[in-house]
Amino acid sequence: MKANLITKITLCGLLLNGIYANAQQTTLEVNTSKTITKIQPTMYGIFFEDINFAADGGLYAEMVKNRSFEFDDPLMGWIQPKSDKHNFNTESGIAVPVQFSKKGNNHNYCRVTVKDAKGYEIINEGFRGMGIKSGAKYNLTLKASKEAGNISKIIIQFIGKDNKVLGETSIVPTASGWNEYTAQLTPTATEAKAKLRFTFEGTGTIDLDMISLFPEDTWNNRKNGLRKDLVQLLYDMKPGFLRFPGGCIVEGRTLAQRYQWKKTVGEVDNRESLVNRWNTEFAHKPTPDYFQSFGLGFFEYFQLSEDIGATPLPILSCGMACQFNTGELVPMDQLDPYVQDAIDLIEFANGSVDTPWGKVRSDMGHPKPFNLKFIGVGNEQWGTDYIERYKVFEKAIKSKHPEITIVSGSGPFPEGDYFEYAQSELKKLNAEIIDEHYYKEPKWFRENATRYDNYDRKGPKIFAGEYAAQTVAIASPDNKNSWECAFSEAAFMTGMERNAEVVHLTSYAPLFAHEEGWQWTPDMIWFNNLESFGTPNYYVQKLFANNKGTDLLSITKDGKAVTGQNDLFASAVKDANTKEVIVKVVNTSAKAQDITVDLKGSKFQSKGTVITLTSPNTNDENSFASPKKISPKESEYILKSEKASLSVPAYSVTVLKLKLK
C-alpha cells in the first residue's frame, strides 16, 4: 500500500512537472509588416583560400603533381623505382631536369634517357595518389621532343596496389622539336591511390614537359576544369559572393612570394609556378610538396563566381608581406606597381575588349565583362603601415573607378589595440566596408550574438570575412568540426542577420581541406581523391544562405531581441521573391523547448515548411563514413492559427518558412 502511494505521488509529481514545463513556453513576436532594412544579396558567401590543398590537388582537377617540373626540387612527385642516379643505369635509364631558360615562366623540362626499355619507368604519384573511377574517362596531354635514338612509343598506365595495371594508353612521338600529344585513359577499377606510370618502347633520349591529366567529367564539362563534386557543394549553397584567392597567400611569407594575379592569367602553360605560403608554416603538418601551378587563376575564379551566381570579391596585396612571417614592406615610394595591379584588375574584369586587359580576358574566352563591384586592399594587415598604404590605394582606385566598393581590413583579431586603431582610422577615412576576422571558442560565438547591436548604422559596413569556432585553439591540429561549433556559429549568425543594416557580407573560413593534405582545421568541406562531404558548419552556412530573404523583420521576446534568453537565438526575414516569412531559431540548450511564434501583421497559408538541423551530442561530426550524420531534415508544417507552435530540439537550428497569402 505504501509502495503504491509513493508511486502515485511520484506520478503526480511528474505530471505536475510536465504541466509546469509545458507552461514555460517561450513566445517570440514577429512583426511581418515592417521592413527594418534590406538584406544584402552578398550577406552569405564563400571565402576561398589555397590552403589544405584546396586548389592544386583539390578544386583544380589536375591529377599530375609538378606537371611542368617547376617545383624547387624539379622532380618532386616523380619516382624512378628502377634507377639510381649514382650509376649509369645500363639496365634501365634515368630522368634529369634541364633548365632551358631563366626567363619567362616555364623554366624546366625533363630529359629522359632510356638505355633498356624493359627496365625503365617513371611514375607520377599525384596529390597523395590519384582518384580514378572505373569506366570514367581521363584526358592526358604532354609535350615531347625526340632528341636522340629511337623511342617509338610512350606507354601510359594507371597503376594501383602492387603495380597492378588499371588502365592503359599510349602515344607515338613523331619528331624532334616540341610537339603536343593527347591520349585518353579509361580505368578498369576505382582506386583512390592510383599512380601514373610511363614506360617506353625503344631506346634513346626524349624531352618531356607539361604532362597533364584531367577527368573528362569536370564542372560544366570544361576542358581541364574544376572538380565537379566540390563545385556542386558550393553551387548548392547559393552564395552571394566568392572571395579569392585567399588570405595569407595574398600577402606571401615574403613580398617575392605574394600572389600576383597577372601571373595567373593567359595560357596555362605560361603561368609561373610558386611555392605555396602554407608549404612550411606548421611543424605539425609540413607539406614540402605544396606549390601553386596557378592553373586555377584569376580568370577561373571570376568564371567560377559567375557559374555559381556569386559576386566576385578579389583581394590584392597592399605591399605588406604576412605580418605573422617577415612583415616585409614595400617602401611608399615603390608602391605604384601594387596600386597599378588593382587598377589593371578592374580593367581585366570590367574593361571593354578594346582595352589591354579587357582584351586578355576576351582572348581567354570571355568577351563580356565579369561585372566586378568589390575589390579588397590587403588581407588582415594591421598597424600604421597598413593605414598609410590603404590611403594610397583608396585615392587611386576611387579617382578612376568611383563605382568600385573597396574592402579594407581591421587585422586578424576581433579586439585589441590594433583592431581598435584600424576601426577608428578607417572610420575617419569613411571606409566603405571593413573586414573583421574571428577564430574563437564556441562559447565566444554564443556570447557575442549582440556584437553588432551597437555599431554605428552610419559608419562603415562590416564584412565578417573569416570566422570559425575552434574546439581547441587557433591553428591547433586537434580542432574538430563539431556540432557545438556549428550551432554556436548559427547563434552568432542570427546576430549578424539581425544587424543586416551594418553587416553586409559574411563567410566561414577556411573552405576546403584534403583528408591527407591539410594544414589547418576546422574547415567547411572535407575531401579526398574520390569523395567529399559537408561538415555541420557547411549545413549551417547553407541553411542561412538558402534562406537569407530580402527584408529584415523584427523578432523579439518580451520586447527584446532574442540573443540567448533561455539559450535561444533567433532572427526573422521576409523573402519578397518567394513571398515567404522565414524564422530561424537556434536552441543551444541541452533540452528541447516549446516555442510559439506570434506572427503579427500578415496572413499566411496553412502549409509551410520546417527544416531542422540537430544532433544529440555536441561533439558529433560528419565524416567520410557518415557524411550526412548531421544534415538538414525538411518536413511540412501546418499552421493552425496566427501563432505557430514549434518544439525545437536540444542543440538545434530550426528554420520555419511560411507562405504569405
Side-chain angles (χ1 to χ4, degrees):
M1 187 75 177
K2 185 178 180 181
N4 288 336
L5 181 61
I6 291 171
T7 301
K8 287 178 180 178
I9 291 170
T10 302
L11 285 170
C12 287
L14 290 172
L15 287 169
L16 285 169
N17 284 337
I19 293 168
Y20 180 74
N22 288 336
Q24 295 301 299
Q25 290 221 3
T26 298
T27 298
L28 308 180
E29 292 189 359
V30 180
N31 184 342
T32 66
S33 61
K34 182 182 178 182
T35 294
I36 297 172
T37 191
K38 290 291 183 180
I39 304 285
Q40 296 298 313
T42 54
M43 185 67 184
Y44 302 110
I46 293 169
F47 164 75
F48 180 93
E49 174 152 22
D50 190 1
I51 188 173
N52 306 319
F53 278 36
D56 292 280
L59 187 62
Y60 185 52
E62 172 67 78
M63 299 167 70
V64 175
K65 183 165 69 181
N66 192 14
R67 62 186 175 188
S68 58
F69 309 97
E70 300 294 327
F71 284 15
D72 290 349
D73 173 359
L75 288 181
M76 181 177 278
W78 295 91
I79 307 163
Q80 300 177 80
K82 299 177 181 179
S83 303
D84 181 352
K85 62 182 178 181
H86 301 295
N87 65 47
F88 284 113
N89 296 292
T90 55
E91 295 180 352
S92 58
I94 192 76
V96 295
V98 177
Q99 185 185 86
F100 64 85
S101 175
K102 290 186 178 180
K103 297 179 180 179
N105 297 327
N106 190 346
H107 306 285
N108 304 326
Y109 60 87
C110 178
R111 173 157 288 174
V112 176
T113 300
V114 181
K115 296 183 178 179
D116 184 341
K118 294 180 180 179
Y120 180 71
E121 57 188 45
I122 184 169
I123 299 168
N124 189 269
E125 64 187 10
F127 297 90
R128 307 301 187 268
M130 297 180 180
I132 58 173
K133 297 179 181 179
S134 179
K137 296 178 180 179
Y138 297 84
N139 296 323
L140 177 89
T141 60
L142 63 80
K143 292 182 178 179
S145 175
K146 293 175 69 171
E147 294 300 309
N150 186 28
I151 293 177
S152 58
K153 184 182 287 188
I154 304 174
I155 300 115
I156 304 107
Q157 298 169 320
F158 282 130
I159 56 172
K161 297 171 184 175
D162 303 319
N163 290 331
K164 181 180 179 181
V165 176
L166 303 177
E168 182 176 312
T169 190
S170 64
I171 63 169
V172 177
T174 54
S176 61
W178 288 104
N179 290 283
E180 184 170 274
Y181 301 89
T182 62
Q184 191 173 79
L185 292 95
T186 303
T188 56
T190 297
E191 170 61 53
K193 294 282 191 178
K195 295 175 182 173
L196 196 64
R197 180 169 67 188
F198 297 79
T199 57
F200 303 82
E201 287 185 3
T203 58
T205 299
I206 188 167
D207 295 336
L208 303 174
D209 201 4
M210 279 301 293
I211 301 172
S212 178
L213 183 73
F214 279 85
E216 186 168 86
D217 187 21
T218 58
W219 175 257
N220 276 354
N221 293 313
R222 287 201 183 96
K223 183 181 178 182
N224 301 350
L226 304 182
R227 186 167 147 175
K228 194 173 183 178
D229 62 323
L230 296 182
V231 181
Q232 188 67 53
L233 285 165
L234 304 185
Y235 180 84
D236 291 345
M237 286 181 67
K238 300 179 182 176
F241 66 89
L242 174 66
R243 171 185 162 185
F244 58 87
C248 293
I249 66 160
V250 170
E251 309 156 353
R253 296 178 67 85
T254 65
L255 287 173
Q257 293 175 347
R258 75 187 187 280
Y259 197 104
Q260 299 183 61
W261 75 265
K262 291 176 180 175
K263 293 185 176 183
T264 77
V265 298
E267 292 294 329
V268 171
D269 294 15
N270 295 325
R271 301 181 190 179
E272 185 176 14
S273 296
L274 181 69
V275 64
N276 191 292
R277 171 247 186 278
W278 298 104
N279 182 296
T280 57
E281 184 68 15
F282 297 121
H284 66 249
K285 204 75 172 178
T287 46
D289 58 338
Y290 200 176
F291 284 73
Q292 300 169 88
S293 71
F294 296 117
L296 176 56
F298 260 48
F299 177 85
E300 289 78 18
Y301 285 125
F302 277 113
Q303 192 174 54
L304 174 61
S305 300
E306 190 172 75
D307 285 351
I308 63 178
T311 294
L313 175 47
I315 308 293
L316 299 182
S317 168
C318 65
M320 300 175 70
C322 181
Q323 288 165 279
F324 289 110
N325 298 137
T326 65
E328 184 183 4
L329 295 172
V330 167
M332 292 301 294
D333 61 0
Q334 298 174 32
L335 192 60
D336 285 353
Y338 293 75
V339 177
Q340 192 61 46
D341 277 351
I343 301 299
D344 290 344
L345 178 61
I346 297 168
E347 182 177 286
F348 175 78
N350 294 350
S352 75
V353 297
D354 298 323
T355 62
W357 286 105
K359 184 177 186 304
V360 173
R361 182 196 70 243
S362 180
D363 290 347
M364 293 183 72
H366 202 287
K368 292 183 179 179
F370 279 120
N371 194 27
L372 177 67
K373 298 176 182 176
F374 298 89
I375 197 164
V377 175
N379 170 46
E380 55 182 16
Q381 275 70 41
W382 62 80
T384 56
D385 292 320
Y386 172 66
I387 297 299
E388 186 179 22
R389 284 157 179 77
Y390 170 79
K391 289 177 182 177
V392 176
F393 276 84
E394 195 271 344
K395 182 178 180 181
I397 293 170
K398 285 298 183 181
S399 66
K400 289 204 74 170
H401 294 285
E403 77 282 4
I404 296 293
T405 299
I406 302 174
V407 176
S408 55
S410 57
F413 306 116
E415 71 280 305
D417 289 351
Y418 282 127
F419 175 82
E420 297 297 339
Y421 169 77
Q423 290 281 342
S424 173
E425 292 300 310
L426 290 169
K427 188 172 183 179
K428 290 177 190 174
L429 295 169
N430 295 315
E432 295 168 293
I433 297 179
I434 302 177
D435 184 6
E436 296 186 0
H437 296 177
Y438 17 83
Y439 296 100
K440 293 285 190 176
E441 66 277 6
K443 184 181 178 183
W444 183 93
F445 284 88
R446 300 193 295 271
E447 291 178 344
N448 281 271
T450 59
R451 177 179 177 89
Y452 297 109
D453 287 7
N454 296 317
Y455 267 51
D456 184 356
R457 267 46 187 162
K458 296 181 180 179
K461 304 310 177 186
I462 297 300
F463 173 22
E466 295 183 35
Y467 68 89
Q470 315 284 295
T471 55
V472 181
I474 297 175
S476 169
D478 299 319
N479 282 324
K480 304 295 183 184
N481 283 102
S482 73
W483 176 226
E484 183 185 9
C485 286
F487 71 67
S488 298
E489 290 155 5
F492 184 78
M493 291 169 75
T494 63
M496 292 196 289
E497 189 164 280
R498 282 189 305 99
N499 287 282
E501 290 169 286
V502 171
V503 182
H504 282 195
L505 308 93
T506 69
S507 52
Y508 181 99
L511 177 61
F512 286 125
H514 189 292
E515 181 184 25
E516 296 177 52
W518 59 269
Q519 295 82 48
W520 179 292
T521 59
D523 306 283
M524 191 160 72
I525 294 168
W526 285 82
F527 64 92
N528 57 29
N529 290 340
L530 286 175
E531 301 169 299
S532 57
F533 70 87
T535 61
N537 316 75
Y538 167 82
Y539 286 111
V540 164
Q541 294 291 322
K542 182 180 176 183
L543 266 183
F544 275 73
N546 282 200
N547 296 286
K548 65 176 177 288
T550 57
D551 298 71
L552 179 66
L553 304 178
S554 167
I555 182 168
T556 58
K557 177 184 180 295
D558 300 327
K560 296 180 181 179
V562 188
T563 60
Q565 306 95 308
N566 295 356
D567 297 312
L568 292 174
F569 301 79
S571 60
V573 298
K574 180 170 65 177
D575 193 314
N577 300 316
T578 60
K579 293 183 170 57
E580 289 176 312
V581 166
I582 304 169
V583 178
K584 304 180 184 77
V585 180
V586 181
N587 179 13
T588 64
S589 165
K591 296 180 179 179
Q593 299 195 53
D594 293 331
I595 65 170
T596 298
V597 182
D598 189 355
L599 302 153
K600 295 181 179 297
S602 301
K603 299 293 184 182
F604 294 88
Q605 297 180 28
S606 60
K607 289 185 179 180
T609 303
V610 64
I611 308 169
T612 306
L613 187 62
T614 188
S615 199
N617 190 327
T618 59
N619 294 319
D620 283 348
E621 300 176 72
N622 291 349
S623 64
F624 288 103
S626 187
K628 293 191 175 180
K629 180 177 182 178
I630 305 173
S631 57
K633 304 296 187 289
E634 184 172 322
S635 59
E636 185 177 74
Y637 180 84
I638 302 299
L639 181 66
K640 297 178 180 178
S641 68
E642 291 182 358
K643 295 182 180 181
S645 297
L646 278 175
S647 180
V648 291
Y651 307 133
S652 66
V653 181
T654 301
V655 178
L656 175 65
K657 304 172 72 172
L658 299 171
K659 286 274 189 183
L660 291 159
K661 281 187 176 179

